[in-house]
């Protein structure tokens, strides 16, 4: 069913990641490695990457993946990273990429909105819907390790 | 007041643009020109650009602008473009960029959510807030021309 590829419905995760490790989110190399790995984990094909430093110590980066993208802009001095993971198609799993990237940044908590984009009712008038939640990653990881 | 530059508060417009001109949103060159111009209109400095075709006839493109980005993914066969305009700092005007890009795409209507990102209460636990609305651009433009 090749038609499925062309359906524009996409899942866009808007993430505010707090308490990140400044040594990780302040490094262009580390941030780039994490976002490219996140794309692989989502099952997306990487088309282009662009990463750079911005003042005073942040990293801006985008990974273009077929008909969508993964991006981040970081403020290591506040341990904060703004992260976007947007994927289209049923063959990808963006949620795994979100969990991987946020944990790799060393975030303690995240405020997340998942936007479902490119929805229509057959009339090509497109809209989006969203849900928001908080995740305490360190708590989650502590609970996981306590269960072992 | 150079400190202002480093405040991570940003305005991220998530736009579903419908009824676009397929000849415009199906052209890599035209879409790239529009997004670069949108960045200029917002008053943002362009750091990097990446644009490409994706099957069957869409365009994927990202303009990295300092600590944020402008991106689009288009489906000309459905006259649909998913557009993101995300800017940080008080020296930029992203709303002007949204209006310019959506009108340049030839969109008839747009479903828009504006997300204010990187908000905190002094504790570095960042979150976002949002508002959503619809814009009928052709109607808006018709009204403008009728008033002349």
């Amino acid at each position: 069913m090749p038609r499925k590829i062309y359906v524009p419905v996409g899942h866009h995760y808007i993430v505010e990641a707090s308490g990140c490790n400044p040594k990780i989110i302040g490094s262009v190399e580390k941030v780039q490695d994490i976002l490219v790995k996140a794309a692989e984990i989502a099952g997306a094909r990487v088309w282009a990457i662009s990463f750079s430093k911005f003042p005073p110590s942040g990293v801006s980066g985008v990974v273009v993946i077929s008909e969508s993208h993964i991006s981040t802009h970081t403020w290591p001095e506040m341990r904060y990273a703004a992260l976007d993971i947007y994927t289209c198609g049923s063959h990808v799993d963006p949620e795994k990429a979100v969990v991987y990237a946020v944990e790799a940044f060393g975030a303690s908590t995240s405020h997340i909105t998942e936007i479902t984009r490119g929805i229509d009712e057959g009339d090509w008038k497109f809209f989006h819907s969203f849900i928001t939640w908080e995740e305490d990653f360190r708590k989650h990881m502590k609970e996981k390790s306590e269960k072992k």
Side-chain angles (χ1 to χ4, degrees), chain A:
Chain A
M1 293 187 288
R3 199 181 166 276
K4 269 198 170 175
I5 301 167
Y6 310 135
V7 170
V9 173
H11 297 277
H12 189 157
Y13 290 79
I14 306 274
V15 184
E16 318 297 321
S18 301
C20 298
N21 184 332
K23 285 186 186 164
I24 295 171
I25 65 166
S27 158
V28 172
E29 268 187 26
K30 287 188 173 72
V31 170
Q32 180 169 322
D33 287 350
I34 290 166
L35 260 59
V36 169
K37 184 81 186 288
E40 287 167 10
I41 285 170
R45 191 173 144 208
V46 173
W47 285 46
I49 59 172
S50 171
F51 285 79
S52 54
K53 274 275 195 193
F54 72 84
S57 57
V59 176
S60 258
V62 179
V63 179
V64 181
I65 47 169
S66 192
E67 62 281 72
S68 39
H69 65 269
I70 296 179
S71 65
T72 196
H73 311 286
T74 74
W75 286 261
E77 66 279 14
M78 294 176 193
R79 298 176 168 266
Y80 164 62
L83 174 71
D84 285 66
I85 295 187
Y86 175 18
T87 63
C88 293
S90 54
H91 60 290
V92 285
D93 189 344
E95 200 162 344
K96 275 188 188 167
V98 172
V99 171
Y100 167 75
V102 168
E103 288 186 353
F105 283 172
S108 53
T109 58
S110 288
H111 179 89
I112 304 175
T113 294
E114 181 193 350
I115 307 182
T116 304
R117 302 184 66 166
I119 311 166
D120 79 324
E121 290 165 350
D123 56 0
W124 291 0
K125 288 194 174 177
F126 296 92
F127 60 95
H128 50 241
S129 65
F130 41 79
I131 52 166
T132 299
W133 70 96
E134 313 282 333
E135 293 233 8
D136 186 339
F137 282 94
R138 281 190 198 144
K139 190 181 157 212
H140 177 64
M141 289 170 81
K142 197 172 164 243
E143 279 169 0
K144 272 203 298 191
S145 81
E146 279 169 356
K147 278 180 191 160
K148 278 178 189 169

